[in-house]
């Protein structure tokens, strides 16, 4: 809920600190407010999940709530303005992400420890259902609270996080024994630096560079991409090197525990489930941001909604997506406990792909009943996939590695969301860059804007136009307001240019072309994820041990917890 509250409230937040987020030098502040939390979460969840395995999952979870509460208080007390105020918010959002990562890295593992196999899918389904419901409730709460005071956006998380801190300390008990070991500092460092640099490079790739609409040709972005990939390759080599276990025992010290159990990927259910998580997260992230821009920038203004009101109404009109997830999440979790995860997870992803193809076929100015039905179908598909897939992943690993397994799953999910912003915004910006400048220049000149001013406005990066609609600003007012051109036009011309229909009608053609590319790619990703889900293994490691080299993990007769009727009996690992 906190993440989506901030996204929808960014215009009020930046107005409150006296900073225009769409000014040429300030887009970086905007991107880091949106992506900073995601990047930190993607980098840290595996590390914190491993620490939960070593020192206690409940202990790390409780500490995460406390850190989250402190960061929420600090965010609401921002003492600065302009750039310094934005940096204060970004830095404390990073601290908040650290606490949030402690929660998300260990929550699935705590539930897996606490519930027997016959109830695990239901428990994880409810957990994920509330998480997604919180995201969409945040869109509504953010639109309402931002109208009161921008600090109220952060105030609302203070009582929630403080209550959660007290509640978790009083109610949660450790049910799994930790395996102490020395921290894998080299693995942690190479992974954190590699993933952080790679995702930061993707973030800056969205921004324009030189005469290009995107920054993928920027030497610093290329350095970040290739440097991050190189460090992740080094990380894989570090994690697979032989560990000096014998020396550690002889010396009387604890052995180094690798942070990333690459051997878990020999378990087919674990590998296929995480691949499906990554691809689905990329597709879902593209859906969320593109739908917000579609509704706020075109569909709602065409129906007479003021640009300043579109963020709130976009959240309301996207509610069928949440409803579908709320219906399918717990039901599919319960049924997967009885009949297996593979059928529900795979069928859910096929429904998601079908909904993307349906959205691709819609006109820009669509009929809402059809649009709502497709969103409901997408939500049902995501709900059918999410809980069974998580249950399958968590049930496929030995109990002592559930923390790191949960962290690895969260890493793929958060990384997918961050990647989706880079991938789909780049696809959309590239599509707009080829057709929007000419359409915008011609449209402005046709309504009295001087040719020089029209050319200057149309030469601004398309990413600024996209973010203007995302933040609920009138793009034409943003493009022409600072130059004083609007003051030189007649009242009728000003009313037309800054009205509800000029920009949506102007941009609808180029935008629909971009939507076709985005939803087409998302549909392909969902189908590949469905294939990976269908090929997941049906067996778990024997004797609670990780699989050795070879396909042994798929050769035992036992079926994993939560993957069929035989798994309903609570039985210990032999």
């Amino acid at each position: 809920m906190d993440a989506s509250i901030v996204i929808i409230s960014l215009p009020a937040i930046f107005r409150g600190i006296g900073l225009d987020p769409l000014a040429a030098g300030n887009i970086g502040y905007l991107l880091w407010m949106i992506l900073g939390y995601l990047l930190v979460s993607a980098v840290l969840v595996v590390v914190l999940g491993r620490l939960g395995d070593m020192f206690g999952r409940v202990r790390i979870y409780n500490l995460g709530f406390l850190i989250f509460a402190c960061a929420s208080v600090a965010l609401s007390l921002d003492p600065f303005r302009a750039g310094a105020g934005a940096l204060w918010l970004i830095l404390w959002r990073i601290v908040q992400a650290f606490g949030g990562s402690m929660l998300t890295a260990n929550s699935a593992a705590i539930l897996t420890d606490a519930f027997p196999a016959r109830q695990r899918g239901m428990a994880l389904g409810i957990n994920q259902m509330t998480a997604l419901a919180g995201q969409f409730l945040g869109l509504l709460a953010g639109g309402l609270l931002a109208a009161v005071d921008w600090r109220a956006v952060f105030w609302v998380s203070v009582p929630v996080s403080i209550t959660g801190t007290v509640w978790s300390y009083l109610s949660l008990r450790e049910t799994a024994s930790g395996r102490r070991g020395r921290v894998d500092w080299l693995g942690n460092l190479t992974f954190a630096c590699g993933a952080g640099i790679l995702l930061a490079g993707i973030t800056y790739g969205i921004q324009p560079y030189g005469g290009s609409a995107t920054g993928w040709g920027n030497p610093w972005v290329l350095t970040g991409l290739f440097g991050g990939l190189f460090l992740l390759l080094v990380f894989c080599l570090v994690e697979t090197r032989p560990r000096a276990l014998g020396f550690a025992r002889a010396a009387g010290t604890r052995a180094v525990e690798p942070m990333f159990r690459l051997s878990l990927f020999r378990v087919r259910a674990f590998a296929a489930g995480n691949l499906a998580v990554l691809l689905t997260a990329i597709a879902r992230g593209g859906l969320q941001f593109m739908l917000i821009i579609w509704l706020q920038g075109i569909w709602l203004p065409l129906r007479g909604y003021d640009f300043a009101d579109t963020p709130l109404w976009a959240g309301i009109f996207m509610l069928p997506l949440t409803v579908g997830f709320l219906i399918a999440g717990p039901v599919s979790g319960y049924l997967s406990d009885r009949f297996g995860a593979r059928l529900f997870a795979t069928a859910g992803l096929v429904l998601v792909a079908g909904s993307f193809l349906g959205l691709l076929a819609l006109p820009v100015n669509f009929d809402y009943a059809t649009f709502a039905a497709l969103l409901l179908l997408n939500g049902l598909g995501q709900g059918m996939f999410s809980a069974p897939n998580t249950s399958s992943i968590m049930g496929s690993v030995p109990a002592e590695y559930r923390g790191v397994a949960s962290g690895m799953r969260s890493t793929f999910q958060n990384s997918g969301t961050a990647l989706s912003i880079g991938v789909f915004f780049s696809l959309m910006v590239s599509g707009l860059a080829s057709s929007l400048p000419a359409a915008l220049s011609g449209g402005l000149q046709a309504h009295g804007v001087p040719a020089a001013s029209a050319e200057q406005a149309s030469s601004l990066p398309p990413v600024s136009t996209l973010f203007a609609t995302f933040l609920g600003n009138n793009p034409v007012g943003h493009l022409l307001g600072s130059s004083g051109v609007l003051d030189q036009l007649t009242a009728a011309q000003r009313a037309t240019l800054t009205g509800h229909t000029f920009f949506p009608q102007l941009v609808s053609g180029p935008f629909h072309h971009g939507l076709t590319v985005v939803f087409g790619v998302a549909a392909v990703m969902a189908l590949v994820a469905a294939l990976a889900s269908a090929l997941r293994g049906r067996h778990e490691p024997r004797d609670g041990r990780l699989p050795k080299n070879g396909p042994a993990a798929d050769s035992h007769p036992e079926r994993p917890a939560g993957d069929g009727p035989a798994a309903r009996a609570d039985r210990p690992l032999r």
Side-chain angles (χ1 to χ4, degrees):
M1 183 175 179
D2 189 79
S4 56
I5 277 181
V6 171
I7 288 176
I8 209 70
S9 306
L10 282 173
I13 291 172
F14 279 101
R15 282 195 302 268
I17 62 175
L19 187 70
D20 178 9
L22 297 175
N26 295 336
I27 291 181
Y29 293 130
L30 174 66
L31 282 174
W32 278 105
M33 280 291 292
I34 296 174
L35 291 174
Y37 192 100
L38 282 175
L39 298 185
V40 173
S41 298
V43 168
L44 290 181
V45 283
V46 173
V47 180
L48 297 169
R50 185 70 200 100
L51 292 178
D53 287 340
M54 294 169 61
F55 301 107
R57 293 157 193 162
V58 170
R59 180 180 301 173
I60 300 297
Y61 182 91
N62 291 342
L63 181 60
F65 244 134
L66 180 61
I67 293 174
F68 195 93
C70 294
S72 298
V73 174
L75 283 165
S76 67
L77 299 176
D78 187 351
F80 303 110
R81 291 186 58 78
L87 286 175
W88 173 279
L89 295 176
I90 291 169
L91 291 174
W92 280 107
R93 281 285 287 170
I94 289 174
V95 175
Q96 195 178 47
F98 182 75
S101 298
M102 290 176 140
L103 300 173
T104 56
N106 291 282
S107 58
I110 291 173
L111 288 173
T112 305
D113 290 338
F115 283 84
R118 65 178 183 274
Q119 297 176 344
R120 190 172 295 151
M122 170 66 85
L124 292 168
I126 292 174
N127 185 49
Q128 296 190 21
M129 175 191 72
T130 55
L132 189 73
Q135 290 181 19
F136 285 94
L137 287 174
L139 296 177
L140 301 178
L144 295 172
L145 292 171
V148 177
D149 190 287
W150 72 269
R151 296 181 189 272
V153 172
F154 300 111
W155 291 339
V156 69
S157 62
V158 174
V160 175
S161 54
I162 291 176
T163 303
T165 302
V166 176
W167 192 357
S168 63
Y169 270 100
L170 293 178
S171 62
L172 292 182
R173 298 290 179 269
E174 199 70 63
T175 59
S177 58
R179 288 185 52 178
R180 292 298 181 95
R182 290 190 293 120
V183 177
D184 179 14
W185 293 112
L186 184 58
N188 279 280
L189 182 64
T190 52
F191 177 79
C193 292
I197 292 172
L198 176 63
L199 293 175
I202 292 172
T203 301
Y204 282 105
I206 304 173
Q207 301 186 49
Y209 173 73
S212 176
T214 58
W216 299 113
N218 187 337
W220 287 107
V221 170
L222 294 175
T223 301
L225 296 178
F226 289 107
L229 289 173
F230 174 76
L231 287 175
L232 289 177
L233 177 62
V234 172
F235 164 76
C236 292
L237 296 175
V238 167
E239 295 301 286
T240 54
R241 77 183 192 277
R243 303 285 173 175
L245 298 178
F247 173 79
R249 292 193 189 98
T253 61
R254 294 191 298 270
V256 171
E257 290 282 352
M259 64 158 286
F260 212 105
R261 286 279 175 178
L262 296 178
S263 54
L264 290 176
F265 287 106
R266 298 196 190 107
V267 182
R268 194 194 304 171
F270 183 84
N274 278 297
L275 176 59
V277 164
L278 176 65
L279 293 174
T280 305
I282 296 175
R284 182 174 60 239
L287 171 73
Q288 180 179 1
F289 283 97
M290 291 304 113
L291 286 183
I292 290 175
I293 294 173
W294 192 357
L295 289 171
Q296 294 182 185
I298 299 178
W299 193 79
L300 286 169
L302 285 176
R303 275 154 180 75
Y305 290 85
D306 190 67
F307 277 95
D309 298 328
T310 56
L312 174 61
W313 284 102
I316 294 173
F317 281 111
M318 287 172 63
L319 280 177
L321 186 65
T322 309
V323 172
F325 197 96
L326 293 178
I327 293 172
V331 173
S332 65
Y334 172 76
L335 293 177
S336 69
D337 289 336
R338 297 175 58 84
F339 303 109
R342 178 162 52 180
L343 172 64
F344 294 94
T346 304
L349 290 173
V350 172
L351 289 180
V352 170
S355 69
F356 279 128
L357 294 176
L359 290 169
L360 188 151
L362 284 181
V364 171
N365 194 7
F366 52 79
D367 173 68
Y368 181 71
T370 306
F371 179 78
L374 289 171
L375 288 192
L376 180 65
L377 182 66
N378 192 283
L380 290 171
Q382 290 190 47
M384 288 177 63
F385 163 76
S386 187
N389 187 69
T390 302
S391 180
S392 175
I393 290 174
M394 299 303 296
S396 69
V397 302
E400 62 267 28
Y401 299 117
R402 284 173 182 163
V404 70
S406 177
M408 292 163 75
R409 182 192 64 83
S410 296
T411 290
F412 283 109
Q413 182 168 304
N414 294 334
S415 299
T417 304
L419 284 170
S420 72
I421 297 174
V423 171
F424 290 119
F425 265 103
S426 295
L427 289 174
M428 181 61 74
V429 167
S430 298
L432 290 177
S434 62
S435 53
L436 180 60
L440 185 58
S441 177
L444 292 175
Q445 292 183 55
H447 288 82
V449 176
S453 299
E455 289 294 331
Q456 182 181 6
S458 64
S459 66
L460 291 177
V463 69
S464 295
T465 305
L466 276 181
F467 278 133
T469 59
F470 181 74
L471 297 176
N473 290 337
N474 187 328
V476 176
H478 169 72
L479 293 173
L480 299 178
S482 60
S483 63
V485 173
L486 289 176
D487 298 331
Q488 304 171 15
L489 304 178
T490 66
Q493 290 172 330
R494 283 198 303 271
T496 300
L497 291 175
T498 60
H500 298 145
T501 60
F502 172 75
F503 179 79
Q505 291 174 348
L506 186 71
V507 79
S508 59
F511 185 79
H512 187 261
H513 173 72
L515 277 181
T516 302
V517 176
V518 167
F519 287 142
V521 172
V524 171
M525 288 186 172
L527 289 174
V528 175
L531 178 62
S533 178
L535 296 177
R536 74 178 66 234
R538 301 177 63 186
H539 304 90
E540 67 181 350
R542 199 173 195 172
D543 302 325
R545 296 191 298 262
L546 290 175
K548 297 180 181 179
N549 292 331
D554 296 323
S555 61
H556 299 307
E558 297 92 354
R559 301 179 69 181
D563 205 65
R568 279 178 271 161
D570 293 331
R571 62 182 188 274
L573 288 171
R574 292 196 308 227

